[in-house]
Amino acid sequence: MNRWPFLILLLLIVPLFVTGCWDSKELNSLSIISATSIDRERDHWVVTFQVIIPQAIATQTGGGGAGSQSPTTIFSTNGRTIREAMQNASLETSRMLFFAHNSILILSEKVAREEGVGQILDFFLRPFESRETMSILLTKGKASDLLEVLIPLEKISGNAVKRVIDQSQRNLSQVQNIKLIDFAARVADPNASAMVPELQVSGNLKGQSSLDALKSPRNEAVIKLGELGVFRRDKLVGWLNGEESRGVAWLSNRVKNLIIVYPCSAKGGERDSLSSFRVLKSSTKLSSEIQGGKVTMKVQINARGVLDETGCKMDLSNPRVIAEQQRIIAKEINGEVVSTWNRLRTIETDAPGFLDVIHREHPDAWKKLAQSKHPLDEITIRPQIRVNIEHTDMINKPYSTLLEQNKRP
Amino acid sequence: MRLFTKNKQSGNPQPEACTQRSAESPAAETKLTGNLDDDLRIIKERTGGSSDLIIRLIDSMFGKELRIAVIYIEGLVNEQVMNSSVMPSLTAKDFIDPHHLAAPSEVLGMIKNRFLSISNVKDVHSLDEVLSAVLAGNTAILVSGATLGISASTAGGEQRGVNEPQSETVIRGPREGFTENLRTNTALIRRKIRNPDLWIESRKIGRISQTEVAVMYLRGIANDKVVQEILQRLDRIDTDSILESGYIEEFIQDEAFSPFPTMTNTERPDAIAGALLEGKVAILVDGSPFVLLAPVTIFKLFQSSEDYYQKFDIATFLRLLRVISFVVSMLLPSLYIAITTFHQQILPTTLLVSLAAQREGVPFPAFVEALAMEITFDVLREAGVRMPRAIGSAISIVGALVLGQAAVQAGLVSAAMVIIVAFTAIAGFVAPSVSISNSARILRFGFMILAGTLGLFGIMAGLIALLIHLCGLRSFGIPYLLPLAPFIPADQKDAFVRVPWWAMLRRPTLIGKKNPKREKKFQKPSPPKNKN
C-alpha cells in the first residue's frame, strides 16, 4: 500500500549517485567539433578547432542555400596549458565546445619533436567527453593549416580525413590508422614505438581554403597522407618514407592488401617493363635465435597474392616462369625489409617490436640487450620470404604477346 | 484509495439522495389486490401516467365481473407478436364461455395454458413484478379478481442489427460484432460454442437502471474461484445505474490506479469465444456492445483474434511488431529528448549534424517542443473522434498541413520532431486493444518528463519502476506478466509467438488449469506414408 511514496523517493535519490554523462544541453547550443590541431608557439599551446556549421551541411531545411556558406569554421586559441587554451575559447564562441564527435587530432612536427606528446595524451584521456577512437596525425608544417583545406565531395573535412585514413588502410597496408588509445598504449610500451601517419597539403593552400575553390573541377590543393612519423618514447624521432613504411608493415605483420611493383627479371634488363603483384594474404612470423651471444631475428614472411598486371613478355602458364616471378617478388620484399631495418637502426626505434619478441623468447639475452646503449645495433635480421602467386586473374598470357603475334604475318 | 473502498463498502446502508425512493418504497411490496381498477390506478400512479405505457382493457359480456387488462410499453414490445399472438388469443370467440362465469384464476389458467401462443410465460404476483416485467419489454396480463397475473415474453422493438465491429476490424475472420442487446450477444456466443457447459449467471445491477449483467463461462474449464470472485465483486456493486460495461470495469478491476487495464473488452464474439475456451470469463452488459473479459495478462492485450486465423508465422511476426510498436509509442519521444539533450555523443556524427541543423532556429528546448507536439497530436486525435463526420477532411488538412508542414517551415518545430511525433502516433494505433494503447499514451508524457530532467537515466528509472509495478499487478489473481513472470515455458507458445494450431496442446496454465488438455497430439500434417 505504501510502496509508491517509497518508490518515488527512491527515484529522486538514485539520480544523485548516477552522475556522469549528465547535464542537459540543447543541440543548438553546441559547437560540434570535427577536428582539432595542436601547435606550439613560443611557450604557448595553440589549439585550433574545426567547428561544424550544421545549417550549411544539412541543406534540406530552409531549402537551398547550399554552397553559400562554408560547412565548417575554424578558430584558434592559445594558453599556457591546453585546458587554458580551451577555456579561452569560450571568450570567442557563442556555444559550448562539444568534443565527443572530434574525429582527428593533428599534431605539428614541432610539438611532437620538442614538447613530446605526454601532456597532450594526458589532456585527451582525462575528460569523459573526449573519444579514445579519434585518429592521431602528424604534420610537418603548421597543424592548423590543415583544418582550413576544403575537401571536395565531403562537407566535414575532419570526418573526411578520418575516412581517407580508414579507406587507405584497407587498400594499402602501409598506412595505419592509429587511434588515441592505441597511440597512448604504444607510447607507453617500453618495447615498442608508436608510428603516426603524416598528413600533408600539396598545392596552394590559400586557394583551397575559400569556398570558391569548390566551384572549379580541379583543386588548388589536396590533403593527403604522406610519410610515417616514428616516435621514441613520447617524442618524434624521424620520418619513414613510403618504401620504409611498407617495410615496417611487413615487419610488424600488418600487410593485408599491398601492391608490389617488380621488374621482369632479377637482372633488371628490359627497361620500362614492370609487373604488379597484389598481396591478398600475408603473415609475418618473428623469432629470435642466440648464437654465440649474437642475436639474430628470423623474419618469416609468407605472402600470397595475384599477379595483377604485367608488361613483360613471358609464358605465365609455365610453372617455372611463375616460380621465377615469385623469386623476384621475394627479392623485392627482402630489399624493402632490409633497408627499413637499417633505417630503423639509425633512428634507434624498435617499431616492429623486436625487443618484445626477444624478451618473450630469450629473457636473459633481453636483459643484456636492455642494458646496452644501442640495443638494436646488436641485432641482425635474417628474412626468409616465401611468395606464392595463386593465380593471374582472368587472363593467362600477357597481352603484349598478342601484339607480337599480330606482327608476324 | 482508501476513500473509495470505504464508500463502496458503506454505500448500502446509507440513505442516498441520488437514488429514487419510490421504486423501493413499501408500495413496491404490494401484492396484486385483485381489484383491477385499483391495481391499474397504482400502476399508472407509479409510472406517472407516462404516455408510452399502454393499458388495454378487454371487456367480456359479464361486464365488470370479468375484465382483462393487457399492459405493455410501446416501443419495447414486438408489435407483430402483440398483434398476431397476444391480442387474438384474448379476443377469440370461444375464449369465454358466455354461460358460465369462471373464476378469475381459472380464466388466467386458460389464457396461460390454452390460448396464449407465446412460448415464454411466467406468473407474476406483485405490482412490482408487473412493473419490472413491463419495463423489460414483456406484456403483463391481469384479470379482474385474480391476485396474480401473467407476464408474456414479447420483448422486441427497434434494435441495431449485428454489424461488423467498428473498433476491431480484421481481414480474415467473422464479420459480426456484438450489439446493444444482451440476448443477441449471448446468442452470438452460444452459436460459436454449442455446449451445455457454457453457463450464464445473470445479475441485475443498478438500482435505478436495473441493468442486466450476464457472466458467461465454460464450466469445467474456467477457474471456479475466478468465477466466484467475479460474481462476488459484481454483487458488491451498489450504484444507481450501469450504462456501459466501463462502469462495471472500474468497479471490479484489481488495481484502480494503474495505467494498465486488468480487464479487456472486445466487440467480437469470436474473440470472446476463444477466450472462454482458454478458461476466461466474459461479462456482458445489456446496452453495450463491449463485452468485458477477465482475467487478462499483458500479452493478451497485444493479441488480435485474427492472430489465430492467420498462418502462425505471420501472426508471430505481427505480435512482435505490436510489442515493438507499443514500446515505440511509449518511449520514442522521450528517447529523442534524452539523446538530443543529454547524450549527443551516442549519435553518429552525420545524424547529429543533421539533427542539429534542424534544431537551428527552433526557439524552444527539445522537451518543450516534444511536449507541445504530443499535446497537439492528442488534441487532433480527440477532435477527430468527437467532431461530426462531415468536417473530417477539414481536420486532416488543418492537422497535417498547418500544424505539420507550416510549423516546420515557420521554424517553430524541427522536422525531426514532426517525424518522431507522427511515428509515435502511428505506432500507438498498432495495438489491437484500445486500452493498452491508451496506457502508452499516458505513460508517454511521464517518460518525456523523466527524459527532459534526467536523460536516459530518467527513462531507465521510469522503466524499472514500471516493471516493478507490472510484476506486482494481478488480474483476478492471475499475475499480469504471465507467462513471462512467473516464467512458464509451456505457455510461451501463445505469448510472443503463436505456434501452429496442432502444437497448441494445452490451455494457458494458470487460467485454464482445470481442464488443461486442448487437443490430441501428433496432428501435424505430413505427407501420407507410402506403404506400397
Side-chain angles (χ1 to χ4, degrees), chain B residues 182-413:
Chain B
L182 182 72
R183 280 291 154 247
T184 314
N185 294 351
T186 54
L188 283 172
I189 299 171
R190 269 216 196 272
R191 255 178 231 158
K192 299 205 178 283
I193 306 175
R194 293 163 196 205
N195 195 307
D197 281 339
L198 179 61
W199 281 15
I200 302 178
E201 298 237 15
S202 289
R203 294 284 187 275
K204 275 215 166 61
I205 304 178
R207 262 178 286 163
I208 295 178
S209 70
Q210 294 289 316
T211 311
E212 191 166 0
V213 174
V215 175
M216 224 171 175
Y217 59 96
L218 265 172
R219 190 181 63 107
I221 292 178
N223 191 335
D224 291 335
K225 282 184 189 161
V226 172
V227 176
Q228 286 313 312
E229 180 64 29
I230 288 176
L231 288 174
Q232 267 174 28
R233 289 189 196 182
L234 284 178
D235 288 339
R236 275 209 299 268
I237 299 175
D238 182 8
T239 179
D240 60 345
S241 63
I242 301 289
L243 297 184
E244 216 276 339
S245 51
Y247 287 41
I248 301 267
E249 186 176 355
E250 288 202 358
F251 270 119
I252 70 172
Q253 71 183 348
D254 288 67
E255 184 67 68
F257 296 111
S258 170
F260 291 94
T262 49
M263 300 178 81
T264 183
N265 58 68
T266 178
E267 273 192 275
R268 303 188 58 84
D270 55 322
I272 292 291
L276 290 176
L277 284 163
E278 283 180 356
K280 290 177 180 150
V281 181
I283 302 169
L284 294 84
V285 176
D286 197 20
S288 167
F290 289 92
V291 175
L292 297 175
L293 204 54
V296 67
T297 59
I298 193 163
F299 292 103
K300 191 73 211 165
L301 300 170
F302 293 118
Q303 296 169 5
S304 152
S305 52
E306 200 175 0
D307 288 358
Y308 299 100
Y309 313 145
Q310 280 175 325
K311 274 189 70 184
F312 68 95
D313 46 5
I314 186 73
T316 300
F317 169 69
L318 290 177
R319 280 189 182 177
L320 295 176
L321 207 66
R322 289 187 202 123
V323 174
I324 294 168
S325 304
F326 175 75
V327 174
V328 163
S329 91
M330 186 169 69
L331 288 183
L332 189 63
S334 51
L335 280 176
Y336 178 80
I337 295 170
I339 289 172
T340 57
T341 54
F342 286 88
H343 315 282
Q344 294 91 345
Q345 57 271 24
I346 73 175
L347 290 174
T349 310
T350 31
L351 180 58
L352 178 75
V353 168
S354 154
L355 290 179
Q358 293 172 28
R359 277 207 54 77
E360 216 54 64
V362 173
F364 309 109
F367 170 62
V368 176
E369 192 189 354
L371 203 63
M373 284 305 285
E374 284 296 341
I375 289 173
T376 309
F377 170 72
D378 273 336
V379 167
L380 275 177
R381 180 178 168 177
E382 188 58 15
V385 176
R386 303 289 156 232
M387 83 198 148
R389 290 269 147 75
I391 328 174
S393 56
I395 206 99
S396 54
I397 290 170
V398 171
L401 295 183
V402 177
L403 292 174
Q405 182 83 1
V408 171
Q409 278 184 353
L412 294 175
V413 183

Side-chain angles (χ1 to χ4, degrees), chain A residues 229-240:
Chain A
V230 185
F231 282 74
R232 194 189 317 126
R233 317 293 323 130
D234 72 328
K235 286 203 169 115
L236 180 71
V237 287
W239 298 95
L240 300 180

Side-chain angles (χ1 to χ4, degrees), chain A residues 341-357:
Chain A
W341 174 240
N342 291 336
R343 172 90 173 107
L344 288 175
R345 271 212 296 216
T346 55
I347 57 174
E348 289 182 41
T349 53
D350 180 19
F354 282 2
L355 286 173
D356 223 10
V357 176

Side-chain angles (χ1 to χ4, degrees), chain A residues 8 14 24 59 79 98 170 174 181 184 190 250 270 290 302 327-328 342 356 358 385:
Chain A
I8 290 166
V14 162
S24 86
T59 43
F98 186 65
R170 250 199 320 280
Q174 73 200 53
I181 187 73
W250 284 116
E270 292 169 68
I290 316 281
N302 196 347
R327 263 197 300 283
I328 304 169
N342 291 336
D356 223 10
I358 297 165
I385 295 156

Side-chain angles (χ1 to χ4, degrees), chain B residues 514-526:
Chain B
K514 270 190 83 179
N515 179 359
K517 196 180 165 206
R518 186 156 208 166
E519 63 196 13
K520 208 176 87 187
K521 280 186 186 173
F522 310 120
Q523 293 192 83
K524 182 185 174 191
S526 55

Side-chain angles (χ1 to χ4, degrees), chain B residues 7 13 63 86 118-119 121 164-165 178 190 209 238 249 261 364-365 396 421 441 459 472 488 515:
Chain B
N7 262 352
V86 179
I118 296 280
S119 54
V121 179
E164 190 171 358
F178 286 123
R190 269 216 196 272
S209 70
D238 182 8
E249 186 176 355
F364 309 109
S396 54
V421 171
R441 207 169 149 191
I459 294 179
I488 297 175
N515 179 359

Side-chain angles (χ1 to χ4, degrees), chain A residues 9 25 64 90 116 119-120 155 190 250 271-272 285 287 294-295 316 320 329 351 359-360 371 388:
Chain A
L9 197 71
K25 26 193 191 294
S90 54
Q119 192 174 351
I120 296 170
K155 297 271 190 182
W250 284 116
R271 70 184 161 84
D272 72 15
K285 273 188 199 139
S287 55
K294 283 212 87 180
V295 185
L316 285 173
R320 277 196 206 144
I329 297 166
H359 187 191
R360 247 181 285 130
Q371 275 151 25
N388 186 8

